[in-house]
Amino acid sequence: MKQKYLKWIFYASLLVRLGEAVNAQTAIDIENIPNTFKASKWLRVNGNVSASAIYTGGNAANNLRSPFIWNLNGSVNANILGQINLPFSFSITDAGTNYTHPVAPTRLSIAPKYKWITAYIGDVGVTYSPYTLNGHLFRGIGIQLSPAGPLQFSAMYGRFQKAVPYDSLNKSIVTAYKRMGYGANIEFRKEKYSIGASIFHAKDDPNSIATLSDSIAIYPKQNLAASIHGAVKFNNGLELTAEYGTSALTADTRAENNSDGKTVLKGIIPNKASTNYFHAVKAGINYTYKTSSIGVGYERVDPNYQTLGAYYFVNDLENITINLAQSLLKEKARVNVNLGFQKDNLDDNKASTNKRAVGSVNLNYTPNEKLMIDASYSNFQTYMNIKPQGIQDTIQLQPVDTLSFTQIAQNANVNINYILNRNTQHSHTLSFMFSFQDAADKQGDVLKRGDGSQFYNAMLNYTLGFIPKHINLTAGFNMSYNTIGRNDFMVLAPRVGIATLLWNNKLNLNGAASYNISTATGIQQINILNIRTQAAYTLFKKHQLGLSVNTQLKNSSAINTTDIITMLNYNYAF
């Protein structure tokens, strides 16, 4: 019996040591530790070594770069018991050397697990709700209970912020009070319904640093946030979801109590003069029938809503989303439609109001095994209304109007892939891609010339494959046309390529050539010819040799240049 206890003590002590090298929140199953140690090798080593030499020729560099450079790189990782990783690396080049080795991490976390109990120890980040605790890193402990039944429970306690004294000589150091917090989350899930609730509380220690002047505007805070959410599924395909969150935030715990003497959960957070209360609600309804579905979502977050359990928070917004999905043509086509509307300035206290509208349509059509079409369109509009602020009070005779400003952006994409022919000897494939982007600024109802831009891009590609010989031939053409303000630009680029495998697929050869012609406002600017050849050979499965030559010829009215880059490389993996 003593030997059994000693064995578990040994495993527990070793688990603590392993925590120094275990990735954050990686669960270690305590129940299977003995079997893990038996099945794993005590030490596993793997890595790779690579070397390369690059030679640059031609007159494009203008003697600004070295004509020959080389480097030798390597990395080795030692894995102990399948839990500890010790990475080493080095780099030797003609410019110098560098190496790295394992160092003690600044943040540690271990997550021992036994059956349905998981503990989190160290630097941990958990999420209960977007309105309470949402991924904020803390140093402490947590527990998660996930038994086989419908009930699940989580809790945590730790330090969310360490004390940082004020340094008048170094303004880059952010002064902060020590902040401790705790929270809990409970979930009850069944097949047709679920309900859950979470609570989070955090408080700064006003005595953790010296008393600060009010001019520094850093005060000890306190926060209590809670949320409740649920979902219901009906047999007819209807699903309802909802969540409500609230946060009571005291901006300065040193402030006086409100005269009414009321408190919110007495003993947890007092009702101070600097205490503000925020609310958030999110709801959705979705209906599915056969191959069709439609859903509507709504979210409203009060202005200045925040919790001390999140690094940042998007607030002062109201969102309405609508989504629709429908199968057509005997399920050979699928259409998805999404609409979204958003606005801020919910209290009408800001000088400006922003409204946004987003719409997108996606179509996928596959009538047979040879043809596949994907098309999408999206439209994004932002409307801003700026109200005059106090000008009428000072200049009574000057008429002042509001400013209405709209930004419009739309995108369209089409991708078509068609297999012309395919058999055991040959394959012929044709693909076409087209994309369009448009952006414009409109003041009032006027769209001024020069305040818009359009981007067009089209690509046609043909591939011929000789299947038994492992040879692929490609030919393509690319065109880009852009208008920005009062200027327009065009690029035309034909290209060809070949790729093959030789010597039992150990030697990979490929080459490609392209010719780019660019114009600006109808005037030819520059022509560029690119030629690339590459060879890669695999030796004894772990050794790879490579050689590549890239040549670029630029021709314009101002300058003609030639750039040749030759690279030889070797890689060994073990």
Side-chain angles (χ1 to χ4, degrees):
M1 184 65 68
K2 290 183 179 180
Q3 293 180 350
K4 181 179 180 181
Y5 288 144
L6 290 175
K7 181 179 67 173
W8 281 105
I9 292 174
F10 167 75
Y11 290 147
S13 61
L14 183 57
L15 181 62
V16 174
R17 295 178 182 271
L18 291 177
E20 299 181 359
V22 173
N23 293 332
Q25 299 187 45
T26 299
I28 303 175
D29 196 336
I30 297 178
E31 187 179 15
N32 292 325
I33 282 181
N35 297 329
T36 301
F37 288 172
K38 292 178 182 179
S40 301
K41 289 185 178 181
W42 284 91
L43 178 65
R44 295 176 183 268
V45 178
N46 59 72
N48 73 287
V49 178
S50 63
S52 64
I54 302 174
Y55 173 77
T56 303
N59 60 354
N62 295 325
N63 298 323
L64 296 179
R65 61 186 179 190
S66 175
F68 179 76
I69 60 176
W70 60 270
N71 62 74
L72 176 64
N73 301 297
S75 64
V76 178
N77 183 74
N79 181 272
I80 303 175
L81 295 174
Q83 301 292 340
I84 300 177
N85 287 307
L86 302 176
F88 301 84
S89 67
F90 69 90
S91 176
I92 305 174
T93 70
D94 56 331
T97 61
N98 183 37
Y99 68 93
T100 62
H101 56 81
V103 296
T106 58
R107 293 176 178 173
L108 300 175
S109 176
I110 59 174
K113 179 181 179 182
Y114 181 77
K115 296 185 181 300
W116 45 267
I117 303 174
T118 303
Y120 299 98
I121 305 171
D123 297 295
V124 188
V126 297
T127 296
Y128 290 160
S129 166
Y131 306 124
T132 56
L133 178 58
N134 189 16
H136 198 297
L137 191 69
F138 66 91
R139 175 165 293 182
I141 58 174
I143 189 171
Q144 180 177 346
L145 308 180
S146 304
L151 188 64
Q152 295 185 351
F153 176 78
S154 301
M156 53 72 54
Y157 174 79
R159 188 192 70 190
F160 282 76
Q161 187 173 269
K162 68 177 182 179
V164 179
Y166 176 71
D167 189 349
S168 60
L169 301 179
N170 191 349
K171 301 296 183 180
S172 62
I173 298 179
V174 180
T175 305
Y177 290 92
K178 179 182 177 181
R179 178 175 298 163
M180 301 297 293
Y182 59 86
N185 182 67
I186 188 170
E187 301 276 347
F188 187 84
R189 297 179 179 272
K190 299 290 281 188
E191 182 180 357
K192 294 296 183 179
Y193 67 92
S194 65
I195 188 171
S198 66
I199 188 170
F200 171 74
H201 174 262
K203 183 179 181 181
D204 292 346
D205 182 3
N207 300 318
S208 58
I209 60 176
T211 304
L212 301 175
S213 172
D214 290 344
S215 61
I216 301 177
I218 297 178
Y219 313 106
K221 298 180 179 180
Q222 189 173 4
N223 176 227
L224 175 65
S227 74
I228 183 172
H229 61 87
V232 179
K233 294 181 180 180
F234 298 92
N235 293 329
N236 60 358
L238 184 65
E239 182 179 1
L240 304 177
T241 60
E243 181 173 6
Y244 168 76
T246 183
S247 176
L249 181 66
T250 301
D252 186 358
T253 58
R254 302 168 303 177
E256 297 181 355
N257 292 330
N258 280 334
S259 57
D260 55 16
K262 295 181 179 180
T263 60
V264 178
L265 296 181
K266 184 177 181 181
I268 299 180
I269 182 169
N271 189 13
K272 297 282 188 178
S274 62
T275 301
N276 293 293
Y277 305 92
F278 310 101
H279 306 276
V281 61
K282 185 176 183 179
I285 179 173
N286 190 77
Y287 179 69
T288 302
Y289 179 75
K290 293 184 178 180
T291 60
S292 305
S293 67
I294 184 172
V296 179
Y298 175 80
E299 182 180 19
R300 188 187 191 281
V301 183
D302 280 354
N304 300 316
Y305 189 111
Q306 58 178 310
T307 77
L308 299 182
Y311 287 105
Y312 62 91
F313 208 96
V314 179
N315 55 58
D316 190 16
L317 61 85
E318 186 177 51
N319 284 333
I320 299 176
T321 58
I322 303 173
N323 59 80
L324 171 67
Q326 177 66 53
S327 294
L328 304 170
L329 303 176
K330 297 181 180 180
E331 299 187 15
K332 294 181 179 180
R334 183 75 174 177
V335 179
N336 293 278
V337 180
N338 296 277
L339 299 174
F341 306 93
Q342 183 184 100
K343 72 173 184 178
D344 64 358
N345 197 17
L346 302 183
D347 291 344
D348 198 26
N349 292 327
K350 294 182 179 179
S352 62
T353 300
N354 290 289
K355 296 181 181 179
R356 301 175 183 89
V358 180
S360 67
V361 180
N362 295 273
L363 170 65
N364 176 266
Y365 179 51
T366 308
N368 50 56
E369 295 180 353
K370 293 185 176 181
L371 179 63
M372 183 177 68
I373 301 175
D374 285 311
S376 63
Y377 171 80
S378 62
N379 187 290
F380 181 88
Q381 294 188 16
T382 300
Y383 171 79
M384 179 182 294
N385 180 270
I386 302 177
K387 298 180 294 184
Q389 296 294 306
I391 300 181
Q392 295 101 326
D393 298 336
T394 57
I395 309 177
Q396 296 292 338
L397 299 179
Q398 179 179 348
V400 177
D401 195 6
T402 59
L403 172 63
S404 298
F405 180 77
T406 304
Q407 288 181 318
I408 304 172
Q410 52 184 338
N411 300 270
N413 296 275
V414 177
N415 291 280
I416 302 175
N417 291 282
Y418 183 63
I419 301 175
L420 300 174
N421 185 25
R422 175 180 289 175
N423 53 45
T424 58
Q425 299 296 319
H426 305 91
S427 66
H428 302 262
T429 306
L430 189 66
S431 62
F432 173 75
M433 185 275 291
F434 173 79
S435 62
F436 165 73
Q437 296 181 0
D438 178 42
D441 298 335
K442 183 170 64 175
Q443 294 187 13
D445 295 326
V446 179
L447 179 62
K448 295 182 179 180
R449 177 175 173 80
D451 288 343
S453 61
Q454 292 81 36
F455 300 85
Y456 303 85
N457 188 64
M459 182 182 67
L460 181 64
N461 192 70
Y462 170 75
T463 302
L464 171 60
F466 298 91
I467 299 175
K469 297 182 179 181
H470 302 288
I471 298 176
N472 283 328
L473 301 176
T474 61
F477 186 83
N478 187 81
M479 184 200 73
S480 297
Y481 177 73
N482 308 327
T483 63
I484 303 176
R486 301 176 183 271
N487 301 314
D488 61 87
F489 308 89
M490 178 180 288
V491 176
L492 304 175
R495 66 185 183 280
V496 293
I498 182 173
T500 184
L501 294 173
L502 301 174
W503 298 347
N504 295 325
N505 299 335
K506 292 182 178 181
L507 179 61
N508 187 344
L509 298 175
N510 64 76
S514 64
Y515 188 67
N516 296 356
I517 304 172
S518 62
T519 62
T521 319
I523 302 175
Q524 185 170 326
Q525 299 295 311
I526 189 171
N527 301 331
I528 302 176
L529 174 63
N530 290 289
I531 302 175
R532 186 191 76 248
T533 57
Q534 291 181 327
Y537 181 71
T538 302
L539 181 64
F540 304 123
K541 295 183 180 181
K542 294 184 177 182
H543 301 265
Q544 290 185 341
L545 295 173
L547 175 65
S548 66
V549 180
N550 298 324
T551 303
Q552 185 179 87
L553 305 176
K554 291 184 180 180
N555 182 14
S556 68
S557 58
I559 187 173
N560 297 324
T561 62
T562 301
D563 195 8
I564 303 175
I565 300 177
T566 304
M567 183 171 67
L568 177 65
N569 60 74
Y570 164 79
N571 185 78
Y572 169 65
F574 58 90

